[in-house]
Every structure is written in C-alpha cells, then in structure tokens.
C-alpha cells in the first residue's frame, strides 16, 4: 500500500492530500528503505556523486521579528547582537573563495540597519570581486521592489523558508504581525523576478501533524522552487518553545526522500540542524537524497551568537576546518564535495 504510493509519487511527482497524509503517517522501516533507494537513484541521475557546497555568511543577528521558535527573535534580551561590516563580509568571501566555494549565502535577521542602499552596495561589491560566484540572499520578507533591486544589483538566488504551509499552524509559530499569506506572496514574487528561489520548512515544529506536512508538500509542488531546505525543529532555551519536543532525524530524512521524488532536480541541503541532532545527520541526509551542504564562513568570533537553536554545531571551527571536515564526511559515504556554483539543472539565466 505504502510502497504503491511511493511508486506513484516517483512516476507522477505528485499525490493527493489524502495520499500524502497516508504516506507520511504510514511510513515504516521497509517503506523508508524503499524510498531512499529511489531517492538516491534520482540524485545520481542528475547529480552523480557530486555534492554542492554554499558558504554561509551570517552577517547580522539583529532581527525585528519575534518568531516563537527562533533564538535570535527580538525578545531574546540575552542574545548578544552583532553586525559584520562590509569589509568583514568581503573577507569571508575571500576566505571562502580560496577554500573552493563558488556560492555565498548572505543570511541575517530582518535588520533595518542594513538599508536597501547598503544591501545593494554589498551585493554589487561581492559580484564585482567574484563574478564567477553565485550570490544568495536570505534576509527575510521584503517588498517586490526591494527584491527586484537586489536582483538587479546582482543577487542570483534567495532563500525564504515558508516554515509551514498550513495557515493555522503558521499562526501558532509566529506572532500576529507575521502572516502566512505574505510569506507565500514573497516567494511567488521572488520567482517572478527571476531568482533561483529556495523555500523550506521545519520538521517536528510544535503542533505539526502529517496533515500539515501534506500541505507543505502541496505548496512546494505548486511553487516549484529551485531549492528546499528542511531541518528538524530544535528548541532554543530562551524562546517560548524552550520546553517543546524537537523534530526527529527519522522524519526529517523521510521528508528529504519524498522531496527528491516529487521534484528530482531539486537542490536539497543536508542541514546544520540535522547535523546538530545527530553526529552523522548530514551524511544521512545525503543518503536520503539531499545534494547540498552549507558550511559556515562567518568569523569564529560571531559564530556562537547566531544561535537559532541550542547546541548548533561548528561554532568553534574555522571555515577551513569545516571545509576539510565536510570533504572527509562526503568522501566517507562515496560522494565528492565539488567546487561549482551548483545552479539548478537547466536553469535558464534570464539576466
Ligand atoms: N530550530 C530549527 N530551525 C530553526 N530555524 C529558526 N529557528 C529554528 C529552530 N529553533 C530555521 C528557520 C529559518 C532558518 C534560517 O532557520 O526555518 O528559516
Ligand atoms: Fe564544521 Fe565539521 S563541518 S567542523
């Protein structure tokens, strides 16, 4: 029964809501093994044994938002706030370039100090220095106009997880000033402008059910993003969700496998959160169908401060150490970390 649903997903790249729920709620060891085998087949067909890497630069942990799950929410007075200067950001890129990164991800809280002008200046400076690299932004919800100008300044990609596609669940995870409708509209705008667009969700966030995960899959199917980042929810001790249970490795891996079958060419990161709750989490993610890793390039002095959740890994390691570590980890499971922009297959660059 469950295996038939996996076969159907592989052939049609889509299921009905009821089928998604049945598949997610009915998963067991046998169906999981079956799914991962198929996921690896498609992963190998489009990407061989290559794993792409992106150098993550966490350039500010100031944030005007107050999401209930996040360690850098504005109400967390204990968070030590920092901002990197443009020079520091460029220095991270320089280190990253030498280490073989050809994609940089600028990620930060929604921090008004970085005005549109400042952001455009940073984006164009990075693209001037590293024209052969892709630049990804991950700086939250902005207007269509702002996204457009950042794209014109040179940004190639944008990551904005939808977090959960089901509206009532979204409202349980966020304060009233944040709306699921706006979140989804931002994602549609990003795609329309021409960004390679990444969305994603947390697995096992408080109150999440298979019904909601089904909504996530259906939303992603409709959006057809280029990348989907998913990771387990991990509680942070200074948030309203401090005492909630975290997401599991098992369900996160299952969802990765489903995403690979639903959209075989998807860029799918094996996330730091997965590596945080299991020492071999990132390897397991790749073996479930993921094909991207996103190690940190932020200066070690600020690493610990970008604490979205407890016990985040790699906060004491230099960029070079993470690169070597991931090289070793990927080789250990028969994959190769490549020096490549790692664009979406057949992506038609309209700029
Ligand atoms: N656990 C897991 N992931 C988290 N994120 C934020 N807080 C947490 C947490 N406590 C994720 C969100 C966000 C991304 C940058 O990090 O999905 O989009
Ligand atoms: Fe950072 Fe292993 S990836 S130490």
């Amino acid at each position: 029964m469950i295996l038939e649903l996996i076969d159907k997903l592989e052939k049609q790249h889509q299921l009905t809501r009821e089928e998604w729920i049945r598949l997610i709620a009915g998963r067991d060891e046998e169906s999981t093994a079956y799914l991962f085998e198929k996921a690896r087949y498609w992963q190998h067909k489009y990407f061989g044994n290559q794993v792409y890497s992106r150098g993550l630069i966490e350039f500010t942990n100031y944030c005007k938002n107050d999401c209930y799950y996040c360690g850098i929410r504005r109400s967390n007075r204990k968070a030590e706030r920092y901002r990197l200067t443009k020079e520091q950001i460029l220095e991270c890129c320089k280190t990253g370039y030498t280490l073989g990164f050809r994609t940089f991800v600028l990620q930060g809280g929604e921090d008004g100090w970085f005005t549109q002008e400042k952001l455009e200046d940073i984006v164009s400076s990075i693209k001037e220095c590293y024209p052969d690299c892709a630049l990804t932004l991950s700086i939250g919800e902005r207007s269509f106009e702002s996204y457009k100008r950042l794209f014109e300044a040179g940004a190639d990609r944008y990551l904005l997880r939808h977090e959960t596609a089901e509206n009532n669940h979204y409202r349980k995870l966020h304060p009233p000033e944040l709306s699921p409708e706006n979140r989804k509209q931002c994602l549609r705008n990003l795609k329309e402008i021409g960004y390679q667009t990444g969305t994603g969700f947390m697995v096992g966030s408080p109150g999440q059910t298979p019904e909601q995960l089904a909504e996530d899959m259906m939303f992603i199917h409709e959006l057809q993003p280029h990348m989907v980042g998913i990771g387990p929810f991990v509680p942070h001790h200074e948030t309203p969700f401090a005492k909630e249970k975290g997401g599991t490795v098992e369900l996160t891996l299952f969802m990765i496998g489903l995403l690979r079958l639903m959209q075989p060419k998807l860029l799918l990161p094996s996330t730091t959160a997965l590596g945080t709750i299991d020492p071999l989490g990132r390897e397991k993610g790749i073996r479930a169908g993921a094909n991207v890793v996103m190690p940190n390039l932020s200066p070690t002095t600020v690493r610990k401060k970008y604490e979205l959740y407890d016990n985040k890994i790699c906060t004491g390691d230099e960029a070079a150490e993470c690169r070597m570590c991931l090289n070793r980890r990927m080789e250990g499971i028969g994959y190769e970390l490549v020096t490549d922009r790692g664009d979406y297959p057949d992506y038609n660059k309209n700029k």
Side-chain angles (χ1 to χ4, degrees):
M1 225 17 209
I2 297 292
L3 301 191
E4 279 162 28
L5 287 176
I6 294 175
D7 288 336
K8 179 174 176 198
L9 175 62
E10 184 182 30
K11 285 203 192 74
Q12 302 184 7
H13 307 298
Q14 192 178 12
L15 296 176
T16 65
R17 175 182 282 105
E18 289 64 37
E19 288 171 333
W20 278 122
I21 296 170
R22 205 143 40 82
L23 175 52
I24 295 166
R27 68 188 191 281
D28 56 13
E29 251 174 63
E30 186 198 10
S31 49
T32 300
Y34 189 70
L35 171 67
F36 292 171
E37 207 171 295
K38 288 189 180 296
R40 284 195 295 269
Y41 169 84
W42 290 101
Q43 173 199 51
H44 273 90
K45 185 173 164 78
Y46 291 118
F47 304 99
N49 69 341
Q50 300 199 333
V51 172
Y52 297 140
S53 64
R54 283 79 164 91
L56 186 63
I57 303 168
E58 298 157 335
F59 71 102
T60 172
N61 72 349
Y62 282 84
C63 191
K64 69 173 167 61
N65 291 334
D66 219 12
C67 308
Y68 302 143
Y69 46 83
C70 183
I72 63 168
R73 64 201 298 269
R74 68 159 187 266
S75 296
N76 180 7
R77 306 268 168 253
K78 299 241 172 84
E80 254 186 82
R81 306 289 169 171
Y82 73 90
R83 292 181 180 109
L84 299 184
T85 62
K86 177 181 166 188
E87 290 65 39
Q88 283 176 304
I89 295 172
L90 285 166
E91 193 59 34
C92 293
C93 295
K94 188 170 166 195
T95 309
Y97 193 88
T98 313
L99 291 172
F101 291 100
R102 295 296 178 267
T103 291
F104 303 118
V105 181
L106 279 186
Q107 185 176 91
E110 293 193 15
D111 178 4
W113 188 88
F114 285 95
T115 56
Q116 183 71 26
E117 290 65 37
K118 284 196 181 107
L119 289 169
E120 285 175 25
D121 175 51
I122 292 168
V123 167
S124 55
S125 303
I126 294 176
K127 289 298 285 193
E128 237 166 71
C129 297
Y130 305 99
D132 55 332
C133 292
L135 181 57
T136 305
L137 296 177
S138 178
I139 49 178
E141 296 178 22
R142 309 179 68 84
S143 67
F144 185 95
E145 201 48 40
S146 166
Y147 284 151
K148 188 150 188 289
R149 279 171 53 189
L150 289 165
F151 185 73
E152 283 159 3
D156 303 279
R157 309 182 187 143
Y158 204 102
L159 303 179
L160 181 74
R161 291 185 177 181
H162 65 275
E163 311 296 359
T164 173
E166 203 265 311
N167 292 352
N168 293 317
H169 190 224
Y170 191 93
R171 295 212 167 78
K172 278 197 62 175
L173 304 182
H174 301 92
E177 64 269 21
L178 290 174
S179 85
E181 292 83 10
N182 191 55
R183 194 77 175 179
K184 290 174 186 163
Q185 189 54 49
C186 284
L187 283 159
R188 294 190 188 100
N189 292 347
L190 288 163
K191 264 204 86 179
E192 185 187 329
I193 291 165
Y195 282 99
Q196 288 181 57
T197 304
T199 188
F201 56 93
M202 285 179 290
V203 176
S205 57
Q208 189 182 57
T209 60
E211 283 75 9
Q212 286 147 359
L213 288 166
E215 294 296 326
D216 288 315
M217 297 307 281
M218 290 193 302
F219 172 70
I220 292 167
H221 184 268
E222 177 201 315
L223 182 68
Q224 291 287 306
H226 304 94
M227 178 154 167
V228 176
I230 66 169
F233 160 69
V234 184
H236 184 288
H237 62 282
E238 289 292 341
T239 63
F241 290 163
K243 296 270 172 313
E244 298 287 340
K245 271 215 294 291
T248 64
V249 178
E250 182 271 320
L251 182 52
T252 306
L253 296 176
F254 193 78
M255 298 309 298
I256 289 176
L258 294 181
L259 285 163
R260 174 62 63 213
L261 286 203
M262 181 169 78
Q263 213 183 307
K265 293 181 185 170
L266 205 53
L267 296 162
L268 264 175
S270 194
T271 56
T272 304
L274 192 53
T276 294
I277 61 166
D278 181 334
L280 292 178
R282 285 168 300 175
E283 287 90 329
K284 290 176 184 172
I286 299 293
R287 301 228 349 119
N291 65 332
V292 176
V293 287
M294 299 176 66
N296 208 311
L297 284 179
S298 313
T300 42
T301 48
V302 305
R303 292 268 182 109
K304 191 87 192 84
K305 299 177 186 162
Y306 201 84
E307 195 190 38
L308 305 181
Y309 46 82
D310 288 342
N311 306 315
K312 191 170 159 218
I313 53 170
C314 297
T315 53
D317 302 280
E318 293 289 348
E321 293 176 86
C322 286
R323 177 80 200 190
M324 296 307 291
C325 168
L326 281 170
N327 271 349
R328 216 172 331 106
R329 285 171 183 267
M330 295 302 112
E331 269 173 28
I333 53 169
Y335 290 79
E336 180 198 1
L337 204 57
V338 291
T339 296
D340 192 300
R341 278 174 50 119
D343 286 292
Y344 189 80
D346 324 322
Y347 184 71
N348 188 4
K349 285 183 211 66
N350 52 0
K351 61 172 189 167

